[in-house]
Amino acid sequence: MIELDSISKTYMTEETETRALRDVSLGIATGEFVAVMGPSGCGKSTLMNILGMIDRPTAGQYRFEDNDVSRFTEKELVEFRKKSLGFVFQNFNLIDEMSVEENIALPLLYRGIARKQRKSRVREALELVGLVGRGRHRPTQLSGGQQQRVAVARAVIADPKLILADEPTGNLDSANGAEVMNLLTLLNQDGATILMVTHSTEEAALAGRVIAMKDGRVQTDRQAPASTES
Amino acid sequence: MYLHYLRNAGRQLKRSPFTAEMNIVSLALGFTCFFAAIAVNAYWSLSDSVLDGSKSIYVLTQEYGEGSQRTGFRPRVTAPIARYLQSDFPTLAAVARVGNKRRWTVTWGSQKLHLTGARADAALVDVFDFDVVAGNLETALAGPDNVVMTSRAAKRLFGDRNPIGLNILVGEDFSPVVRAVVALPDGPTHFGPDEEASGYFDFLYAWPDESGQPEWWLSIGPVTYVRFDPTVSSMTPEILRSELDAFMARHLPPDQANMAVTQLDLIPLSQLPTRTLDLALFESRADSLSITWILNLLGVMVLAVAGLNYANLATAQAALGIKQMGMRKVLGATRLQVFQQYWVESLAQSVVAAVLAVCALLLLAPAVQRETGIDLLLGLSERLTHWPLFLVIVVVVATLSCLLPAVRMMQIEPIQALRHGAVAPFSRFVASGLVVFQFAVTCTLVTLLIVVQLQNNHVQSSALGSDPRSLLILTDDDSRALGYKSIAEALREERRVEGATSMDFLPWSNHENFLRVSREETGVDGVQQVFLNQVGYRYFSTFGTQLLAGRTFSEERGDTETSSLSDAAAIGDPVEIVVDLTLIRLLGFDTAEDALGADLYLSREFRQTLDMNPVMTIVGVVETRPLVLSASGTRANLYLLNDAPYFYPVVKLADGGSPAAVRAVSEAVQSRRPNAMVRYELFDEAFGRGFAPVDRFTKAVRLLSVLAIAIAVLGLVGMAIFKTHRRRHEIGVRKTMGASSYQVAVLILRDFSIPVVAGCLLSLPFAYWATQAYLSGFIDAIDVSVLPWLIAVVGCVLLSWLAAGGQAYSAARQLPSDVLRSE
């Protein structure tokens, strides 16, 4: 599904040059659940952003289902991102002024899906994340775990080919974190391809594959040991 | 999708109600000004549209003079033109004049009224399709002893009695018969209903036969209407306009052609009210400056300030919402969709503002009509074509206002937005730049407002003197026929009256009597144009005009009164004149004393045309005290002692113009003329009448300036809220490091003052141009220094402090721990 070939990313400021990624090459197959681990500043989020097509590599080639994404124009990237990717962020990034239903429906809205269809798909997504009856609530009326489940529902509602989760439990307590991880595991079991950035070895163990990064390079890339919980 | 954007706009309103309200209020104020300007112009353009066939009716205009001394194209042309026009262009449907308009004492039985009467050509009934209430209009203006009366005047004079065939007395010795009564339409026309309307009349009488009379082409004459009829002739206004120069060349007598350049033009009847107003305000510059143009410009300026205000606050809001916008982009929002979101939000607020503006106009309309006679609602409603224009303007304003934040947000990458969060995506110069423009416009308007006010105060104080209510100008025919000397004689025992004099024109009305004079006997070099003021004895003491050198006219000395300059010339001796300081300076005398005894001569052209060559000796020099507001480039005055009949008697009252003193003057006139119906104006009332157009213009500038300031201040309040919110962390750190509340407040206020001062500096050339353009029309303009602009700058800075002060205070007072904890 995904092929990264010698991807590098350098952030330039007037005085300094920061190399966030250095010659990263890896592949992700359809249906995989990949965890990316590493200390702060190792390039995890940069890798995630490049995979999510919200940032461009400085060098290297990024192929997504045989499309050379690194050559895409801005407009093509928007279109490709819209139909292929779902995002879950550590800080949820829900829009506080919108209801839960409206937040979840947002990707469909930008895809031009009709209102009636949006409603039924939002209902399904709410069922999936266990938040039926909370659709008209505002995000601020929900717990952190519930908010992240809303973010997961928003990420999956448009049937993306890849779900990118950037420390999805980072702002949650252990109980809520476990709920979110269960949800992601279920999604993966249903066939979703997931790439998750995490600091937690326990959560990484839930993924089938763990990529460890350090100083912008892939340090190890191995299949995860079976989780004690699973 | 648009519903989503609309909902989002609603959410924005809930999230930042104060900002949204300020945006809406300031835009509403801007729209109110702009719509009002359009409504006023629409109202003026509607003038006479209620008259049948008004679109086929045009008015001739004429300009005199050359170089900087031009009169502007006035809608009153010299009398002979109508006759030649009809004979040269027989395909014109009709040509007719209305002129010599004046107030008459009209008597019928015991009923006596002051009515406005004017001469009119019989062809007037072919120009206008008057609504005939009674009598035969076709023949009414054909006979010399007939009058046509308006139904309103007939009702006042005759009550319910049928007026046709009734004999009335007009003035002293004109006794015509009412032959027809016409009803003038209720809508706005130049015929009224306001008596100040340029074409207002109560009755019309026939234009006398002038064949064989000498033709004088360089005077202000009657209003001359031309009607075209495209159904029977190919003659169009454009064709006639193109023929007018050749027409003048054919008919203008050569000797008069040498005296001044004169040109004809043609305007649609609907432009007559605005042209009249333009001439009153801008004189010769009326061809390039128009009240409609200025109103629109002021409306656009206020709307621009409101739009900049919106752009500024929307930009600040966008900076706070950047993370949300990043998330939307991550979720698939395209650039176009981002733009649409901002656009719909801006459009929603603009529409609400526009609706509020229309409501404000509906509420203000009665007061505006009461104050100015302008029916805003008629202007708005009758011209339905303007409604689409309003909508277009609302959309344009909404689009321009949101352009900056929308385009910037379109460009921003999602990764930047998500990484930077609430950090401003705009250079700080963007917000400051908008404030700079906003205050450049505001400071220009405030400077203009100050100068307009100073000029008005100057005109009023210099024109009115210390006690304007002690001067009584008699305007009725009986008083004028009686003459000031007889009135003074009748008042000799009256202690409440100090004396009387006369003048040849009504103060603060059009003064058309001018001469061109020179110190050279040849009358070729150093020629200056002056107003010729024909005055009675004691004119200068009555008006309190200061004598600077020499003497004024004196009855005791036996100074000779003449009935005209030509009479004086005929006597042969030098004519004694008094001149003002302006003329002395124009003629190159160093001091007033130097001018005493000097002789002045008419210019060669004037001498040839008037067929006289008087030598005018200066016997006195007085301060410049013009009794006209604008002057077509003429600024100096020459005074001649003259006792011609029908000049205006002016009585100086001893007790500040008490009703008893005024009554005593009336009784004195009636003691000599028992049937006299005395009509008068106190000097300040006369000034008020002449000054009314300027006063209205001043009020409009004042209102629009105040609104512009209010909008700019509202914008600054909004910016202060955003900026201090964004700097909370910095303020917390500064206070932790030891900054006092005072230092923090100064820091914030200083930051706000910089763009305001920059805007004010930018306004200097615009303010200079605007004030010079305004002042150049006044005969006695103030010398403008940089002071009004400096006052405007200080005012703007103080206002900015006032606007940002509250936020600066609360930011300065906050506890650092509160801020840093919440961070």
Side-chain angles (χ1 to χ4, degrees):
Chain A
M1 182 189 224
I2 289 173
E3 286 294 331
L4 297 185
D5 183 13
S6 301
I7 291 288
S8 293
K9 178 69 183 179
T10 306
Y11 292 110
M12 306 284 287
T13 64
E14 284 178 8
E15 292 170 358
T16 57
E17 180 182 301
T18 309
R19 299 190 68 185
L21 291 179
R22 302 166 189 242
D23 292 327
V24 173
S25 298
L26 55 86
I28 297 170
T30 305
E32 268 196 296
F33 187 171
V34 181
V36 179
M37 295 188 72
S40 293
C42 70
K44 305 184 298 286
S45 293
T46 305
L47 177 65
M48 171 81 96
N49 290 337
I50 287 172
L51 286 169
M53 301 173 204
I54 57 176
D55 205 355
R56 287 174 182 273
T58 314
Q61 192 181 46
Y62 171 16
R63 298 185 71 79
F64 193 111
E65 290 186 331
D66 295 330
N67 296 295
D68 188 354
V69 176
S70 34
R71 290 175 183 274
F72 275 10
T73 63
E74 168 69 25
K75 197 175 173 184
E76 287 168 332
L77 272 182
V78 170
E79 283 306 309
F80 204 80
R81 188 165 65 221
K82 215 157 60 171
K83 68 180 184 193
S84 307
L85 302 175
F87 291 84
V88 180
F89 293 95
Q90 179 183 356
N91 56 358
F92 326 135
N93 277 334
L94 298 175
I95 296 171
D96 290 343
E97 291 80 17
M98 292 166 67
S99 69
V100 166
E101 284 176 346
E102 287 170 325
N103 266 289
I104 295 172
L106 210 51
L108 301 181
L109 193 77
Y110 289 126
R111 283 162 177 77
I113 307 291
R115 184 187 165 88
K116 202 171 174 182
Q117 206 181 341
R118 282 206 309 263
K119 275 190 131 179
S120 69
R121 286 175 71 173
V122 166
R123 205 177 308 118
E124 287 168 20
L126 282 170
E127 278 172 20
L128 177 73
V129 298
L131 287 174
V132 175
R134 299 291 180 126
R136 294 188 183 280
H137 284 63
R138 302 270 164 199
T140 47
Q141 293 171 303
L142 304 180
S143 69
Q146 287 170 325
Q147 287 189 49
Q148 194 60 300
R149 279 191 278 159
V150 173
V152 172
R154 184 178 65 183
V156 300
I157 193 162
D159 293 329
K161 291 167 183 164
L162 174 67
I163 296 169
L164 296 159
D166 189 358
E167 297 188 45
T169 61
N171 278 2
L172 303 178
D173 59 29
S174 56
N176 278 313
E179 272 185 40
V180 170
M181 284 312 298
N182 278 340
L183 194 54
L184 291 175
T185 309
L186 283 173
L187 286 169
N188 178 241
Q189 284 167 2
D190 284 349
T193 308
I194 300 173
L195 187 137
M196 175 181 73
V197 167
T198 181
H199 281 290
S200 162
T201 47
E202 282 184 8
E203 287 171 8
L206 293 173
R209 178 180 165 194
V210 178
I211 296 171
M213 294 188 69
K214 191 175 180 186
D215 298 333
R217 296 179 198 278
V218 174
Q219 200 174 34
T220 61
D221 185 350
R222 59 184 169 77
Q223 296 300 308
S227 165
T228 49
E229 285 180 28
S230 64
Chain B
M1 185 55 100
Y2 280 96
L3 194 65
H4 170 75
Y5 297 145
L6 212 53
R7 278 198 194 129
N8 220 49
R11 288 186 197 111
Q12 188 66 31
L13 189 75
K14 279 185 189 166
R15 189 169 55 196
S16 313
F18 186 63
T19 312
E21 282 161 15
M22 271 194 300
N23 270 337
I24 291 172
V25 168
S26 58
L27 275 176
L29 289 174
F31 279 129
T32 305
C33 291
F34 188 74
F35 291 170
I38 288 183
V40 169
N41 286 334
Y43 175 82
W44 280 332
S45 69
L46 276 173
S47 176
D48 295 291
S49 63
V50 289
L51 296 171
D52 287 341
S54 61
K55 285 188 177 164
S56 306
I57 302 170
Y58 282 70
V59 177
L60 276 174
T61 59
Q62 187 173 11
E63 185 185 54
Y64 309 94
E66 54 186 304
S68 62
Q69 296 188 330
R70 297 188 307 129
T71 61
F73 280 92
R74 300 177 184 214
R76 292 168 60 200
V77 303
T78 189
I81 286 176
R83 191 168 69 241
Y84 291 112
L85 206 62
Q86 188 72 82
S87 60
D88 282 21
F89 305 101
T91 51
L92 289 172
V95 180
R97 302 165 295 176
V98 175
N100 286 59
K101 193 172 92 168
R102 55 185 281 202
R103 296 280 282 180
W104 294 90
T105 305
V106 177
T107 312
W108 178 71
S110 60
Q111 184 72 335
K112 192 177 262 197
L113 289 176
H114 280 134
L115 295 177
T116 301
R119 286 178 186 173
D121 284 323
L124 192 69
V125 299
D126 299 324
V127 175
F128 294 100
D129 300 325
F130 289 119
D131 179 13
V132 183
V133 175
N136 185 350
L137 187 60
E138 295 301 316
T139 56
L141 288 173
D145 295 325
N146 299 342
V147 292
V148 174
M149 200 165 259
T150 64
S151 52
R152 191 172 35 204
K155 176 88 176 165
R156 285 175 61 203
L157 191 62
F158 306 111
D160 292 331
R161 195 181 171 116
N162 181 7
I164 303 302
L166 296 180
N167 205 273
I168 59 173
L169 179 65
V170 177
E172 287 283 297
D173 46 16
F174 180 38
S175 183
V177 175
V178 180
R179 297 292 181 196
V181 175
V182 295
L184 295 176
D186 290 332
T189 74
H190 76 292
F191 292 129
D194 186 356
E195 287 194 30
E196 297 299 315
S198 62
Y200 179 86
F201 69 87
D202 291 312
F203 66 92
L204 298 172
Y205 57 99
W207 200 282
D209 182 14
E210 290 171 328
S211 52
Q213 299 277 321
E215 292 178 358
W216 181 243
W217 284 66
L218 301 179
S219 65
I220 301 296
V223 178
T224 301
Y225 303 97
V226 181
R227 181 161 185 160
F228 298 86
D229 189 348
T231 58
V232 296
S233 139
S234 58
M235 174 59 84
T236 65
E238 291 71 32
I239 295 173
L240 181 61
R241 193 176 279 122
S242 68
E243 296 280 343
L244 287 174
D245 283 347
F247 170 83
M248 286 299 274
R250 275 199 300 277
H251 297 288
L252 180 63
D255 57 334
Q256 294 181 35
N258 287 334
M259 287 181 65
V261 174
T262 181
Q263 271 186 297
L264 288 180
D265 199 2
L266 207 57
I267 56 169
L269 182 62
S270 61
Q271 288 181 13
L272 187 57
T274 45
R275 175 53 65 98
T276 307
L277 196 56
D278 288 345
L279 284 164
L281 283 171
F282 311 117
E283 277 281 328
S284 57
R285 295 162 305 144
D287 300 324
S288 53
L289 272 179
S290 156
I291 185 72
T292 54
W293 184 84
I294 286 179
L295 264 182
N296 282 338
L297 179 70
L298 289 173
V300 167
M301 282 175 84
V302 178
L303 192 54
V305 171
L308 285 171
N309 199 40
Y310 184 96
N312 218 348
L313 289 178
T315 305
Q317 269 185 320
L320 291 182
I322 185 173
K323 199 165 185 178
Q324 186 194 115
M325 192 47 66
M327 195 56 221
R328 284 177 182 274
K329 285 195 155 191
V330 166
L331 294 176
T334 61
R335 288 181 171 201
L336 180 65
Q337 286 167 327
V338 170
F339 181 85
Q340 283 171 336
Q341 180 174 325
Y342 279 96
W343 185 73
V344 169
E345 195 175 303
S346 176
L347 187 65
Q349 295 198 4
S350 299
V351 167
V352 173
V355 170
L356 286 177
V358 172
C359 293
L361 283 182
L362 292 176
L363 289 173
L364 289 171
V368 172
Q369 187 163 22
R370 205 168 41 245
E371 286 290 312
T372 65
I374 294 170
D375 187 348
L376 291 179
L377 298 186
L378 189 68
L380 281 174
S381 61
E382 286 286 318
R383 285 297 168 97
L384 287 175
T385 50
H386 282 118
W387 287 104
L389 175 68
F390 289 168
L391 289 178
V392 169
I393 286 161
V394 171
V395 172
V396 168
V397 168
T399 308
L400 291 178
S401 301
C402 76
L403 211 53
L404 184 64
V407 169
R408 184 66 188 105
M409 283 301 189
M410 277 165 71
Q411 291 169 338
I412 209 154
E413 296 291 335
I415 182 68
Q416 286 176 288
L418 291 175
R419 189 184 297 139
H420 288 260
V423 174
F426 304 99
S427 153
R428 65 193 171 93
F429 294 113
V430 172
S432 300
L434 292 173
V435 175
V436 167
F437 279 117
Q438 207 173 21
F439 271 85
V441 176
T442 305
C443 193
T444 302
L445 281 171
V446 174
T447 309
L448 182 63
L449 175 66
I450 293 170
V451 171
V452 164
Q453 201 61 52
L454 286 174
Q455 174 63 25
N456 286 4
N457 292 347
H458 171 73
V459 168
Q460 292 190 38
S461 63
S462 66
L464 294 178
S466 57
D467 193 8
R469 294 194 72 79
S470 69
L471 291 173
L472 191 74
I473 305 154
L474 296 161
T475 59
D476 62 287
D477 298 330
D478 289 303
S479 302
R480 292 169 67 187
L482 198 56
Y484 79 98
K485 284 186 195 160
S486 300
I487 295 171
E489 179 66 25
L491 288 163
R492 192 161 28 167
E493 302 300 321
E494 180 54 66
R495 290 185 177 180
R496 286 168 295 200
V497 170
E498 288 184 359
T501 186
S502 72
M503 57 194 300
D504 60 341
F505 73 103
L506 204 54
W508 318 117
S509 60
N510 285 335
H511 188 1
E512 313 292 355
N513 204 357
F514 61 86
L515 295 174
R516 289 169 69 80
V517 297
S518 165
R519 288 172 70 179
E520 304 296 326
E521 200 169 348
T522 57
V524 175
D525 300 322
V527 173
Q528 299 296 336
Q529 188 156 300
V530 295
F531 283 121
L532 172 61
N533 298 275
Q534 300 175 89
V535 301
Y537 291 120
R538 292 178 293 281
Y539 172 85
F540 300 102
S541 59
T542 302
F543 279 94
T545 309
Q546 194 187 346
L547 178 67
L548 302 177
R551 61 177 177 81
T552 57
F553 307 119
S554 162
E555 199 167 9
E556 290 72 29
R557 276 188 81 259
D559 287 337
T560 313
E561 286 181 308
T562 55
S563 57
S564 69
L565 190 60
S566 57
D567 281 0
I571 295 169
D573 294 332
V575 183
E576 293 182 338
I577 56 169
V578 173
V579 298
D580 67 8
L581 194 59
T582 303
L583 182 59
I584 292 305
R585 286 178 179 154
L586 287 172
L587 291 171
F589 292 106
D590 291 331
T591 64
E593 283 75 15
D594 290 348
L596 296 178
D599 290 333
L600 300 184
Y601 305 90
L602 288 181
S603 70
R604 191 174 60 188
E605 294 81 9
F606 260 73
R607 208 181 291 165
Q608 287 168 355
T609 307
L610 301 176
D611 194 24
M612 62 177 177
N613 187 17
V615 178
M616 296 169 282
T617 303
I618 298 172
V619 297
V621 179
V622 294
E623 65 172 326
T624 302
R625 178 123 189 250
L627 297 183
V628 290
L629 288 168
S630 52
S632 309
T634 308
R635 292 174 190 276
N637 284 278
L638 183 153
Y639 299 90
L640 179 73
L641 187 61
N642 195 328
D643 67 349
Y646 281 101
F647 284 177
Y648 292 92
V650 181
V651 179
K652 174 96 169 168
L653 306 174
D655 60 354
S658 70
V662 174
R663 204 163 44 244
V665 175
S666 287
E667 287 166 3
V669 173
Q670 283 163 342
S671 70
R672 301 292 172 101
R673 295 206 170 201
N675 290 325
M677 195 172 171
V678 180
R679 200 155 52 90
Y680 56 82
E681 276 183 327
L682 288 165
F683 194 53
D684 60 342
E685 293 169 350
F687 177 80
R689 173 181 39 74
F691 196 64
V694 179
D695 195 39
R696 281 181 202 150
F697 179 72
T698 308
K699 279 180 182 166
V701 172
R702 191 184 303 149
L703 179 69
L704 293 171
S705 304
V706 168
L707 283 174
I709 296 162
I711 293 168
V713 169
L714 275 176
L716 271 190
V717 171
M719 285 306 296
I721 292 169
F722 274 110
K723 281 197 165 182
T724 48
H725 179 77
R726 268 182 40 205
R727 293 180 71 175
R728 285 175 74 231
H729 180 79
E730 177 202 332
I731 292 165
V733 172
R734 281 179 186 273
K735 291 197 82 170
T736 308
M737 297 295 120
S740 66
S741 296
Y742 171 77
Q743 286 169 320
V744 170
V746 168
L747 176 80
I748 294 170
L749 288 180
R750 191 192 62 198
D751 284 0
F752 272 95
S753 306
I754 290 169
V756 171
V757 171
C760 292
L761 288 173
L762 190 67
S763 75
L764 183 58
F766 302 106
Y768 179 78
W769 175 83
T771 51
Q772 289 304 312
Y774 178 73
L775 292 175
S776 62
F778 285 93
I779 190 164
D780 185 18
I782 54 172
D783 292 326
V784 183
S785 66
V786 77
L787 195 62
W789 177 76
L790 283 176
I791 293 169
V793 174
V794 171
C796 285
V797 171
L798 288 177
L799 279 171
S800 73
W801 287 355
L802 201 65
Q807 287 302 312
Y809 176 77
S810 63
R813 297 269 299 165
Q814 70 190 357
L815 292 173
S817 58
D818 289 344
V819 182
L820 298 177
R821 192 189 307 132
S822 68
E823 292 287 322

